[in-house]
Amino acid sequence: MKVLIIGGGACGASAAARLRRLDDSAEIIILEKTFEISIANCGLPYYCSGYIADENVMHVSSPKKFKELLNVDVKLDAEVVKIKRDEKKVVLQNGDELPYDKLVLAPGANPFVPDIEGVCNNPKIFTVRMLKDIEKIKEFIKNTKAKNAVIIGGGFIGIEMAESLSGITSVTLIELREHVLPHIDYEIAAAAQNEIRKHGVKLILSDGVKNFGDNELTLESGRKIPYDIAIMGIGVKPETTLAASCGLKIGKSGAVMVNEFMQTSDENIYAGGDSVEVNDFVSGNEAIIPMAGPANRQGRIIADNIKGYKSTYKKTIGASVIKVFDLTVASVGMSEASLKKSGIEYLKTITFGFSHASYYPNATRTLFKMLFNREGDILGMQAVGREGVDKRVDVMAAAMRNRNKVWDLIDLELCYAPPYSSAKDPVNILGMNADNILKGFFKPAFYEDIEGAMLVDVRNFETFNRETIDGAKHIYTPDLREKYNGLPRNKKIILFCNTGFQSYVASRILIQRGFENVYSLCAGIELYKILKKNEESEKIAVIV
């Protein structure tokens, strides 16, 4: 059996390695149009900053290793320009034709560069996909002594490159949408934005680039920004040229359509990685989720199915994590914004949890947001903090994959010792919180609910006197048992404390005394301060 694999990235390399382990007699050839194979693409921003200093560690594998260990032939600078499905052949750019029994399409995706005036052939504008891209950026900055860097796009690559260049140049990050990391929600993004600004990066939101001049760019708002170098980090587009030209079906999302076996509309052609359309785990909708983890799994599944083992790809859950300077932002499943867009009904809760036992030194707070429905299904989770963030989101990803309900989170037995967690882990607390909401034990309120409501600060007087929310009335929680008659029963009352627990206790006091319009502010004044700080910074950014 002869198997040709187009693309030597995560999916292609994984497919080749797995197939060799399953069949030592198959002829396997990887056709890679560039001069790079098995590059640690996710590490490129860190190589740019110098945090990863040795280029050699960026090479996960090499043609030599593939040949010596796996007996897989790797052909570099071997671009496939045509697929002859009827003849089961591919045509290379040099005119050579190679036959196949099975063909694997894993060409990945290309950086998206919008058609903006001044972009074409602009020597100051770069994208990030290959090692050679980073080398060009580093060389350009060194040779030109670039002082002003502009990053277009506030997604993963945009933020990582902003951090990478912040120690070398003055950085401005421009995001067209209202907040960075559009796959997460505003509350989590606000904390990330505060961190980005804290490290000196100028952040411009809700504005796009109109055109590039020689030394400055003009935004849609008319604002002009000087630049010596610009990085396009807007996102990627699936590479579907070959698939479309040979008549393979393309999905609604614009990526190659595959079945659960990663098989295209041609039974002899498989596809995987950033170029394929998958189904979202929560909504079931078509989606493009260009991540290394899914790409590697898809490569393995393709190899299994070529050998007849009938492995299936079980939808994409979208677990992700990113370092934002000294913070970590992680998420899994759908965001509130994506749920609204899909018309899916949901409930939500937002809490703070400690990275480890609060009494053990150096504990830090993490902000969590969980989305769920009335049946108890977990729809998504997001978190931002300094330690243990990915750990909790990973636990939630596993829980979601196994179709656990929110109340099942209460019973998860997770590792506990004071340096690592608490007896009740933040994941357990999220489950308890959601369970209480579903049972009607308390009603959650959020930042957007504050306007027009009666606010009651239920912390002690010293804390209230030090800081509170403008217009808030003060009643200490223990005093509510005596002073509840002074509160109106016909008005929406939102109780708040530092992070939400004490206000929950206070709400239980009032609910058990017949109050029906009482709410507890999720994540309390600590989240309120994060959001206010972000709002004030945005106002200043518009003026400057």
Side-chain angles (χ1 to χ4, degrees), residues 149-166:
V150 173
I151 313 293
I152 314 299
F156 291 103
I157 288 294
I159 288 179
E160 288 171 345
M161 286 303 295
E163 179 176 349
S164 171
L165 296 180
S166 65

Side-chain angles (χ1 to χ4, degrees), residues 76-117:
L76 300 179
D77 190 27
E79 182 178 1
V80 177
V81 295
K82 187 176 183 180
I83 298 172
K84 295 182 176 181
R85 288 171 53 195
D86 293 341
E87 301 177 43
K88 295 177 70 173
K89 292 180 179 179
V90 301
V91 182
L92 302 184
Q93 85 274 28
N94 63 4
D96 288 350
E97 295 189 5
L98 298 177
Y100 65 84
D101 296 305
K102 299 294 180 183
L103 178 64
V104 179
L105 294 179
N110 296 315
F112 175 65
V113 179
D115 186 17
I116 297 174
E117 181 185 346

Side-chain angles (χ1 to χ4, degrees), residues 350-483:
I350 305 176
T351 66
F352 277 99
F354 282 105
S355 56
H356 54 254
S358 58
Y359 60 82
Y360 188 86
N362 303 316
T364 58
R365 278 198 179 116
T366 298
L367 178 64
F368 297 94
K369 179 176 184 177
M370 185 171 73
L371 301 145
F372 55 101
N373 61 21
R374 295 192 180 279
E375 289 71 46
D377 299 311
I378 305 164
L379 305 178
M381 175 190 175
Q382 304 160 40
V384 56
R386 297 184 181 277
E387 299 171 279
V389 178
D390 54 330
K391 167 185 173 181
R392 272 75 190 208
V393 175
D394 281 342
V395 169
M396 196 66 73
M400 290 178 66
R401 178 63 73 179
N402 289 300
R403 301 290 184 182
N404 292 150
K405 302 286 189 176
V406 292
W407 44 80
D408 293 323
L409 301 177
I410 303 171
D411 297 322
L412 291 180
E413 293 186 28
L414 305 175
C415 294
Y416 163 60
Y420 303 103
S421 185
S422 302
K424 286 190 255 187
D425 189 85
V427 173
N428 301 131
I429 297 296
L430 280 168
M432 296 173 188
N433 204 296
D435 186 56
N436 284 336
I437 292 172
L438 290 171
K439 288 176 177 174
F441 289 166
F442 90 99
K443 296 178 181 179
F446 306 95
Y447 183 74
E448 61 267 26
D449 301 320
I450 288 176
E451 188 173 349
M454 179 179 183
L455 298 176
V456 180
D457 190 332
V458 296
R459 301 171 298 170
N460 61 44
F461 180 76
E462 289 77 12
T463 306
F464 164 76
N465 199 40
R466 187 167 60 249
E467 64 170 9
T468 191
I469 298 175
D470 288 345
K473 180 181 177 69
H474 176 252
I475 305 177
Y476 188 31
T477 299
D479 297 337
L480 279 171
R481 295 183 174 90
E482 304 296 330
K483 297 181 178 180

Side-chain angles (χ1 to χ4, degrees), residues 43-50 52-55 58 131 134-135 138:
L44 291 176
Y46 306 106
Y47 177 59
C48 183
S49 68
I52 297 175
D54 185 0
E55 179 196 329
M58 298 294 294
L131 261 176
I134 298 300
E135 296 292 359
K138 293 168 74 172

Side-chain angles (χ1 to χ4, degrees), residues 229-250:
I229 182 173
I231 310 293
M232 288 291 183
I234 298 174
V236 296
K237 290 179 63 177
E239 177 50 70
T240 59
T241 305
L242 279 173
S245 65
C246 74
L248 297 180
K249 288 185 179 178
I250 305 298

Side-chain angles (χ1 to χ4, degrees), residues 13 27 33 66 68 74 107-108 112 142 168 195 252 274 358 360 364 388 425 504:
E27 183 181 357
K33 71 177 183 179
F66 267 101
E68 290 180 350
V74 176
F112 175 65
K142 179 181 178 182
I168 306 169
E195 180 75 3
K252 295 178 182 178
D274 296 353
S358 58
Y360 188 86
T364 58
D425 189 85
Y504 159 59

Side-chain angles (χ1 to χ4, degrees), residues 148-182:
N148 296 305
V150 173
I151 313 293
I152 314 299
F156 291 103
I157 288 294
I159 288 179
E160 288 171 345
M161 286 303 295
E163 179 176 349
S164 171
L165 296 180
S166 65
I168 306 169
T169 65
S170 173
V171 177
T172 300
L173 179 62
I174 300 170
E175 168 56 48
L176 182 61
R177 284 178 267 197
E178 63 182 8
H179 62 73
V180 299
L181 300 172

